[in-house]
Amino acid sequence: MHVTARPRTPLVRLAVAVLAAGLLAAGCTGSPAPEETDGAPSASTPSDAGGASDGGGATAAAVPQEAWEVTPAPEGFTPPEPCTGEGAYYAEIDGEATPELPERGGETLTVTVEGIDGDRAELTAAVGDSPARDIEPITLGETVTLDLWTLSVTSVCAETDQVEFDLID
């Protein structure tokens, strides 16, 4: 099969030229704007009197991260007293999980206890070097999947500020 390219009509050429001019006018050239060399502040350069600036958009705005979602305990589950003292891993308030959770997919998981409210643990988790994200409040029998890890809370002890959990493979 042989395909022949059609020549562009003057109207198509005009439309492409107008689009290109619009992109150039909007500053969408893909190259950075030239630096001012006279030392005088410009509209895009912060000055002492002008207030704060992010350097012309050089800093990305922080995007709030959703909390890790908790899976409720199975239907019919009757939780024992919250402080069972059972679990392969544990962490205390403001402390990380002990022993260290195993690496998965070349990444690490860091779980930290932020607080305990009754029988509910307030945890955060960070995968690799990513910022820590909250985990929805969690209690006995509930699980949370954090990328390649699934944790099941087995004990929430307000008296000792300790949360214990198992790693489900």
Side-chain angles (χ1 to χ4, degrees):
M1 179 172 157
H2 184 273
V3 177
T4 305
R6 290 184 165 174
R8 289 192 179 160
T9 65
L11 186 56
V12 171
R13 286 186 194 138
L14 177 62
V16 170
V18 168
L19 178 63
L23 289 174
L24 287 172
C28 297
T29 62
S31 61
E35 293 290 323
E36 297 209 15
T37 57
D38 65 359
S42 71
S44 63
T45 305
S47 68
D48 290 337
S53 171
D54 69 354
T59 305
V63 176
Q65 296 288 320
E66 297 274 332
W68 297 98
E69 191 172 326
V70 169
T71 303
E75 191 174 318
F77 175 78
T78 304
E81 289 297 315
C83 190
T84 66
E86 298 176 6
Y89 300 88
Y90 74 92
E92 295 173 341
I93 290 183
D94 295 328
E96 296 177 3
T98 303
E100 270 186 26
L101 291 158
E103 282 189 17
R104 295 206 170 151
E107 294 287 350
T108 58
L109 174 66
T110 304
V111 175
T112 304
V113 179
E114 298 296 319
I116 296 173
D117 185 14
D119 65 347
R120 302 196 77 70
E122 298 165 358
L123 309 174
T124 61
V127 176
D129 294 332
S130 66
R133 288 172 46 191
D134 290 337
I135 297 174
E136 293 178 346
I138 189 168
T139 192
L140 276 69
E142 296 179 334
T143 60
V144 60
T145 299
L146 313 159
D147 285 353
L148 300 174
W149 299 265
T150 300
L151 308 180
S152 174
V153 172
T154 55
S155 180
V156 178
C157 296
E159 300 82 31
T160 59
D161 293 334
Q162 193 174 65
V163 176
E164 296 184 53
F165 53 92
D166 288 332
L167 180 61
I168 300 173
D169 287 317

